[in-house]
PDB file of all heavy atoms in Angstrom:
ATOM      1  N   CYS A  81     189.649 -70.959-189.181  1.00 88.00           N
ATOM      2  CA  CYS A  81     189.102 -70.818-187.822  1.00 88.00           C
ATOM      3  C   CYS A  81     188.903 -69.342-187.504  1.00 88.00           C
ATOM      4  O   CYS A  81     188.692 -68.969-186.362  1.00 88.00           O
ATOM      5  CB  CYS A  81     189.987 -71.503-186.782  1.00 88.00           C
ATOM      6  SG  CYS A  81     189.063 -71.985-185.287  1.00 88.00           S
ATOM      7  N   CYS A 159     189.850 -80.190-182.718  1.00 96.00           N
ATOM      8  CA  CYS A 159     190.406 -78.896-182.292  1.00 96.00           C
ATOM      9  C   CYS A 159     191.820 -79.052-181.732  1.00 96.00           C
ATOM     10  O   CYS A 159     192.615 -78.110-181.777  1.00 96.00           O
ATOM     11  CB  CYS A 159     189.520 -78.256-181.236  1.00 96.00           C
ATOM     12  SG  CYS A 159     187.749 -78.509-181.453  1.00 96.00           S
ATOM     13  N   CYS A 162     195.122 -77.992-183.420  1.00 97.00           N
ATOM     14  CA  CYS A 162     195.578 -76.595-183.432  1.00 97.00           C
ATOM     15  C   CYS A 162     195.539 -75.933-182.059  1.00 97.00           C
ATOM     16  O   CYS A 162     196.106 -74.864-181.873  1.00 97.00           O
ATOM     17  CB  CYS A 162     194.717 -75.767-184.378  1.00 97.00           C
ATOM     18  SG  CYS A 162     194.924 -76.216-186.094  1.00 97.00           S
ATOM     19  N   HIS A 163     194.822 -76.541-181.100  1.00 98.00           N
ATOM     20  CA  HIS A 163     194.718 -75.934-179.763  1.00 98.00           C
ATOM     21  C   HIS A 163     195.189 -76.893-178.684  1.00 98.00           C
ATOM     22  O   HIS A 163     195.009 -76.631-177.498  1.00 98.00           O
ATOM     23  CB  HIS A 163     193.265 -75.523-179.482  1.00 98.00           C
ATOM     24  CG  HIS A 163     192.729 -74.456-180.381  1.00 98.00           C
ATOM     25  ND1 HIS A 163     193.206 -73.161-180.363  1.00 98.00           N
ATOM     26  CD2 HIS A 163     191.777 -74.481-181.356  1.00 98.00           C
ATOM     27  CE1 HIS A 163     192.544 -72.442-181.269  1.00 98.00           C
ATOM     28  NE2 HIS A 163     191.682 -73.218-181.888  1.00 98.00           N
ATOM     29  N   TYR A 182     200.279 -65.921-185.503  1.00 97.00           N
ATOM     30  CA  TYR A 182     199.730 -65.372-184.259  1.00 97.00           C
ATOM     31  C   TYR A 182     200.810 -65.350-183.179  1.00 97.00           C
ATOM     32  O   TYR A 182     200.844 -66.215-182.303  1.00 97.00           O
ATOM     33  CB  TYR A 182     198.533 -66.211-183.778  1.00 97.00           C
ATOM     34  CG  TYR A 182     197.384 -66.211-184.751  1.00 97.00           C
ATOM     35  CD1 TYR A 182     197.251 -67.209-185.709  1.00 97.00           C
ATOM     36  CD2 TYR A 182     196.425 -65.198-184.711  1.00 97.00           C
ATOM     37  CE1 TYR A 182     196.192 -67.203-186.607  1.00 97.00           C
ATOM     38  CE2 TYR A 182     195.370 -65.186-185.606  1.00 97.00           C
ATOM     39  CZ  TYR A 182     195.266 -66.194-186.555  1.00 97.00           C
ATOM     40  OH  TYR A 182     194.217 -66.190-187.440  1.00 97.00           O
ATOM     41  N   ARG A 196     186.842 -74.265-174.118  1.00 98.00           N
ATOM     42  CA  ARG A 196     187.764 -73.504-174.967  1.00 98.00           C
ATOM     43  C   ARG A 196     187.443 -72.008-174.918  1.00 98.00           C
ATOM     44  O   ARG A 196     188.320 -71.171-175.035  1.00 98.00           O
ATOM     45  CB  ARG A 196     187.677 -74.062-176.409  1.00 98.00           C
ATOM     46  CG  ARG A 196     188.356 -73.258-177.495  1.00 98.00           C
ATOM     47  CD  ARG A 196     189.863 -73.283-177.340  1.00 98.00           C
ATOM     48  NE  ARG A 196     190.474 -72.391-178.316  1.00 98.00           N
ATOM     49  CZ  ARG A 196     190.716 -71.106-178.114  1.00 98.00           C
ATOM     50  NH1 ARG A 196     190.425 -70.532-176.971  1.00 98.00           N
ATOM     51  NH2 ARG A 196     191.274 -70.385-179.056  1.00 98.00           N
TER      52      ARG A 196
HETATM   53  C1  HEC B   1     193.583 -75.600-188.415  1.00 53.09           C
HETATM   54  C2  HEC B   1     193.789 -75.096-187.093  1.00 53.09           C
HETATM   55  C3  HEC B   1     192.606 -74.938-186.163  1.00 53.09           C
HETATM   56  C4  HEC B   1     191.689 -75.881-185.817  1.00 53.09           C
HETATM   57  C5  HEC B   1     191.571 -77.327-186.279  1.00 53.09           C
HETATM   58  C6  HEC B   1     190.816 -75.243-184.842  1.00 53.09           C
HETATM   59  N1  HEC B   1     191.202 -73.951-184.629  1.00 53.09           N
HETATM   60 FE1  HEC B   1     190.330 -72.606-183.384  1.00 53.09          FE
HETATM   61  N2  HEC B   1     191.577 -71.170-184.000  1.00 53.09           N
HETATM   62  C7  HEC B   1     192.572 -71.340-184.967  1.00 53.09           C
HETATM   63  C8  HEC B   1     193.069 -70.041-185.342  1.00 53.09           C
HETATM   64  C9  HEC B   1     194.152 -69.782-186.350  1.00 53.09           C
HETATM   65  C10 HEC B   1     192.347 -69.083-184.573  1.00 53.09           C
HETATM   66  C11 HEC B   1     192.467 -67.570-184.638  1.00 53.09           C
HETATM   67  C12 HEC B   1     191.364 -67.071-185.576  1.00 53.09           C
HETATM   68  C13 HEC B   1     191.277 -65.582-185.710  1.00 53.09           C
HETATM   69  O1  HEC B   1     192.218 -64.980-186.269  1.00 53.09           O
HETATM   70  O2  HEC B   1     190.261 -65.017-185.271  1.00 53.09           O
HETATM   71  C14 HEC B   1     191.414 -69.831-183.762  1.00 53.09           C
HETATM   72  C15 HEC B   1     190.534 -69.234-182.893  1.00 53.09           C
HETATM   73  C16 HEC B   1     189.604 -69.903-182.157  1.00 53.09           C
HETATM   74  C17 HEC B   1     188.674 -69.281-181.215  1.00 53.09           C
HETATM   75  C18 HEC B   1     188.512 -67.791-180.938  1.00 53.09           C
HETATM   76  C19 HEC B   1     189.294 -67.301-179.766  1.00 53.09           C
HETATM   77  C20 HEC B   1     190.786 -67.163-179.998  1.00 53.09           C
HETATM   78  O3  HEC B   1     191.517 -67.961-179.422  1.00 53.09           O
HETATM   79  O4  HEC B   1     191.226 -66.273-180.756  1.00 53.09           O
HETATM   80  C21 HEC B   1     187.939 -70.291-180.675  1.00 53.09           C
HETATM   81  C22 HEC B   1     186.856 -70.161-179.623  1.00 53.09           C
HETATM   82  C23 HEC B   1     188.388 -71.519-181.308  1.00 53.09           C
HETATM   83  N3  HEC B   1     189.397 -71.262-182.183  1.00 53.09           N
HETATM   84  C24 HEC B   1     187.842 -72.759-181.033  1.00 53.09           C
HETATM   85  C25 HEC B   1     188.119 -73.899-181.793  1.00 53.09           C
HETATM   86  C26 HEC B   1     187.375 -75.139-181.656  1.00 53.09           C
HETATM   87  C27 HEC B   1     186.249 -75.386-180.672  1.00 53.09           C
HETATM   88  C28 HEC B   1     187.888 -75.999-182.582  1.00 53.09           C
HETATM   89  C29 HEC B   1     187.416 -77.401-182.904  1.00 53.09           C
HETATM   90  C30 HEC B   1     186.035 -77.528-183.353  1.00 53.09           C
HETATM   91  C31 HEC B   1     188.968 -75.297-183.272  1.00 53.09           C
HETATM   92  N4  HEC B   1     189.062 -74.018-182.761  1.00 53.09           N
HETATM   93  C32 HEC B   1     189.742 -75.871-184.247  1.00 53.09           C
HETATM   94  C33 HEC B   1     192.999 -72.535-185.498  1.00 53.09           C
HETATM   95  C34 HEC B   1     192.298 -73.720-185.424  1.00 53.09           C
END
Side-chain angles (χ1 to χ4, degrees):
C81 205
C159 324
C162 293
H163 296 293
Y182 298 93
R196 169 68 186 89

